[in-house]
Amino acid sequence: MSKQDGLLQFDGAIENLSFYKTKRGYAVRKRSGVSGARISNDPAFKRTRENGQEFGRAGKASKLLRTSFRDMIKNTADKGATPRLTKEFVKVVKADATSDRGLRNVIDGEIGFIENFEFNMNSLMDTSLFAPLTANIDRVAGTGTIELPPFKPVEGIQSPDGATHFIITCGVSAIDFTGGKYESALVSSEVLVLDSNNTAPLKLTASVSPNSTFPMFLALSIEFIQVVNGKPYKLSNGTYNSMKVVAVSASV
């Protein structure tokens, strides 16, 4: 890397030189790498093209899942959720044991890799909720159900400082990865108090169309709230909230 000198300093490229700005000023370096045209056409890069095609499918699948749960994710996911989820979908695609390389896809892969995915590494569901949990997907009915028996929130939930209440949300999604479509629904509990009194039995069921032939996903989230003078306030932009894919049902 060389430093740009003189009165004229800019960003951009001229022939094989790239000009750019850094924290220390403007710099210049020689451009390198293989052209896009060569990667697209040269037989030597066939494997690169195949990997790119499969990564593209994984990326689109990751986006579809995130979009289907966007109302839950916006208050729970950390900044690294997108690349981590895409990485899991790459595993799904690579597990396709029937398609040729470059043609491997989500539907013929192992969608079970997405089960137990945590959207917020700063507040894992496994370290936030200790109460026994039952999660079930009923494909025929098109439902996703989460059940919690009565429990004392101060013992069954690890809450952040300042939290006085919490909300549990159940979300279900049926995703057509080939067609790029989805159907999703979510249902939330009432605002629950973080105290030593047993909660009532909690059963949350979210519903989509019955008899779906597409992969179905069931997600659980916990959102912490501080109630002051009867008004709820969210804590730290979701830093301490948790969300997890608790069940997956492959396509039929």
Side-chain angles (χ1 to χ4, degrees):
M1 179 183 73
S2 299
K3 184 178 179 181
Q4 291 187 44
D5 197 7
L7 296 176
L8 182 61
Q9 297 176 330
F10 61 95
D11 294 330
I14 298 177
E15 295 183 349
N16 67 335
L17 297 178
S18 293
F19 299 83
Y20 58 98
K21 184 178 180 180
T22 71
K23 292 181 179 180
R24 298 181 178 179
Y26 287 85
V28 58
R29 65 186 174 192
K30 187 176 181 180
R31 298 174 66 185
S32 61
V34 182
S35 69
R38 184 180 176 191
I39 292 176
S40 298
N41 299 288
D42 193 330
F45 290 92
K46 181 180 180 180
R47 291 289 176 259
T48 301
R49 292 193 295 272
E50 292 171 347
N51 290 337
Q53 290 165 355
E54 294 182 351
F55 183 82
R57 294 188 192 100
K60 289 179 180 179
S62 173
K63 183 178 181 179
L64 268 175
L65 179 61
R66 297 194 317 274
T67 302
S68 73
F69 286 126
R70 63 180 177 273
D71 288 337
M72 295 175 70
I73 290 176
K74 65 184 180 182
N75 295 322
T76 57
D78 62 35
K79 294 181 179 180
T82 294
R84 287 189 290 104
L85 184 59
T86 300
K87 183 178 179 180
E88 293 305 305
F89 269 107
V90 169
K91 294 179 183 178
V92 172
V93 171
K94 288 186 176 181
D96 177 356
T98 60
S99 304
D100 293 337
R101 181 165 178 159
L103 299 177
R104 291 179 295 185
N105 59 83
V106 171
I107 296 301
D108 295 317
E110 180 49 68
I111 201 68
F113 281 123
I114 306 304
E115 188 166 308
N116 296 318
F117 180 81
E118 296 269 8
F119 283 89
N120 188 359
M121 297 302 290
N122 299 311
S123 183
L124 302 177
M125 184 66 69
D126 291 346
T127 59
S128 296
L129 178 65
F130 305 110
L133 166 73
T134 300
N136 179 64
I137 293 175
D138 186 333
R139 179 176 290 280
V140 174
T143 59
T145 301
I146 290 173
E147 294 185 74
L148 288 165
F151 69 97
K152 295 179 180 180
V154 293
E155 297 177 358
I157 290 181
Q158 180 66 45
S159 59
D161 292 341
T164 60
H165 296 70
F166 65 100
I167 297 174
I168 293 180
T169 298
C170 163
V172 67
S173 179
I175 302 180
D176 175 5
F177 289 106
T178 302
K181 301 177 182 178
Y182 66 87
E183 182 182 6
S184 62
L186 60 85
V187 59
S188 298
S189 70
E190 297 178 352
V191 176
L192 303 172
V193 183
L194 280 164
D195 61 12
S196 58
N197 297 315
N198 276 334
T199 64
L202 182 64
K203 182 176 181 178
L204 300 174
T205 299
S207 303
V208 293
S209 298
N211 299 307
S212 175
T213 59
F214 304 123
M216 294 182 67
F217 303 84
L218 178 61
L220 167 71
S221 71
I222 298 178
E223 184 176 357
F224 294 104
I225 294 171
Q226 183 180 77
V227 175
V228 179
N229 296 328
K231 295 182 179 180
Y233 297 89
K234 295 180 180 180
L235 296 178
S236 302
N237 298 317
T239 300
Y240 301 105
N241 297 333
S242 302
M243 179 176 171
K244 180 180 179 179
V245 177
V246 292
V248 172
S249 176
S251 56
V252 296

